[in-house]
Amino acid sequence: MRVITKIDSASRKTRRFFLLWARQFCLIVLITAAEGIVFCLMGFRYQSSLLPVAACPTDLSIARQGNYAALSMRMTGSLGKENWRDVVVIDLLRQDPVWLGVNYLSPHHVAIAPDANSLAIASGDGAIYSMPAPFNNSPAGGGRKARLFVSSGETDLSHLVFAPDGRSIAAMGQRLFSVWDWPTGRLLHQHQYKRTGLAARSIIFSADSRTIASLDENGDLWLCDARSGASIQVIAINETPHHDVVMNFEAQRVAIVREPLISVFSFGAEDAIWSAACDSPIIG
């Protein structure tokens, strides 16, 4: 009798075990079926942590007529990690964006030519590439190939800008300031900063493309000939650190943006004409 009782007890435990797992299996099947129905009706609901959930612009360039713009974008995943970078060109009149699919270049900066026919793209390793702009019914994306324009000799370019006439392009980094002929890539002139890490983060051409203005590593305003690099004038401003510089050659004025002030200077004067405090943080 004891042997039979033990066998019955073991049999009941086995049945309960298999019954429990059968219920769990049925529940899993029901949940899977429900998810399958939702997938068919609404599409896939989940997103991998590797997929981009935020796109942050890191650079902006606008063509001369103001009808086209180019932005370098940094995509960030749901885990907060950078996934890839790309360039988007926007028809501002039609509000039609075109992604170029140049993530393989790791683009950090972009400049659109004044006539909006071509782009200059600076990669993370300091190389600068040229690429036709995807307009006028031209093929975009993979059909348009980026070609190496020059190697800047810098691994951390801070600015890339075309001259208004489109004949030259300038780039600034932590060590070098360089200007090349566009589109040949011939180096027009190059200057090395005496101290690294303090290079200007902004550069601007005059409206006639004949003069370049920037701040050197000491915070002084430097004016030079755009084609030869010959120094025209050095204006001691000594305003560091700064975020940006805006020039008006016709009015002989320069505006220096630095946290938390915006100051306007006259060419040749060391004292600001006026300064104003900013109510919100300055984004450089």
Side-chain angles (χ1 to χ4, degrees):
M1 292 295 295
R2 290 183 178 179
V3 174
I4 295 176
T5 301
K6 290 182 178 180
I7 293 176
D8 290 342
S9 177
S11 178
R12 285 194 298 271
K13 291 180 179 179
T14 302
R15 285 197 299 270
R16 285 197 297 269
F17 175 80
F18 282 106
L19 181 60
L20 175 64
W21 280 105
R23 290 176 179 175
Q24 296 292 334
F25 178 76
C26 292
L27 182 61
I28 293 173
V29 171
L30 289 174
I31 294 176
T32 303
E35 289 293 331
I37 294 173
V38 172
F39 172 76
C40 293
L41 296 178
M42 302 179 60
F44 195 59
R45 298 187 303 165
Y46 299 110
Q47 186 179 48
S48 169
S49 61
L50 297 179
L51 294 178
V53 297
C56 305
T58 60
D59 201 6
L60 169 65
S61 178
I62 301 177
R64 181 174 51 218
Q65 299 298 326
N67 49 350
Y68 297 107
L71 297 92
S72 58
M73 306 291 291
R74 183 182 71 248
M75 267 59 71
T76 305
S78 56
L79 296 180
K81 296 182 179 180
E82 178 180 312
N83 291 330
W84 70 81
R85 293 172 177 262
D86 205 348
V87 172
V88 58
V89 181
I90 304 175
D91 185 330
L92 298 177
L93 300 180
R94 299 179 180 179
Q95 298 184 356
D96 184 22
V98 177
W99 291 86
L100 300 185
V102 291
N103 54 294
Y104 60 93
L105 297 179
S106 184
H108 282 60
H109 296 281
V110 63
I112 187 169
D115 59 7
N117 285 332
S118 56
L119 300 167
I121 302 171
S123 66
D125 61 1
I128 300 176
Y129 295 84
S130 62
M131 187 175 186
F135 302 125
N136 303 323
N137 298 320
S138 299
R144 311 192 69 83
K145 300 299 182 182
R147 297 183 178 181
L148 180 64
F149 175 64
V150 292
S151 179
S152 68
E154 290 270 15
T155 57
D156 187 18
L157 291 177
S158 59
H159 213 64
L160 186 67
V161 62
F162 275 101
D165 61 6
R167 294 179 53 208
S168 57
I169 186 170
M172 302 192 72
Q174 296 298 311
R175 297 185 302 107
L176 300 173
F177 161 52
S178 309
V179 181
W180 298 273
D181 181 76
W182 182 272
T184 65
R186 178 172 61 91
L187 181 64
L188 297 178
H189 55 91
Q190 187 175 72
H191 303 272
Q192 184 170 358
Y193 296 110
K194 297 178 180 179
R195 292 184 292 167
T196 60
L198 295 175
R201 290 166 51 180
S202 181
I203 182 174
I204 189 170
F205 284 86
S206 61
D208 59 7
S209 301
R210 298 174 58 183
T211 309
I212 296 177
S214 68
L215 293 178
D216 66 12
E217 72 272 20
N218 297 317
D220 296 335
L221 179 65
W222 179 49
L223 305 180
C224 71
D225 184 276
R227 301 295 292 184
S228 68
S231 180
I232 298 175
Q233 185 180 8
V234 177
I235 303 172
I237 296 178
N238 299 318
E239 295 291 348
T240 56
H242 67 278
H243 290 263
D244 209 345
V245 55
V246 179
M247 304 292 304
N248 187 321
F249 285 85
E250 288 72 21
Q252 299 285 290
R253 297 288 189 270
V254 55
I256 307 296
V257 182
R258 68 194 194 283
E259 197 80 44
L261 297 175
I262 299 178
S263 302
V264 176
F265 295 83
S266 177
F267 284 10
E270 297 186 8
D271 297 327
I273 299 174
W274 60 264
S275 296
C278 302
D279 295 331
S280 57
I282 299 172
I283 300 176

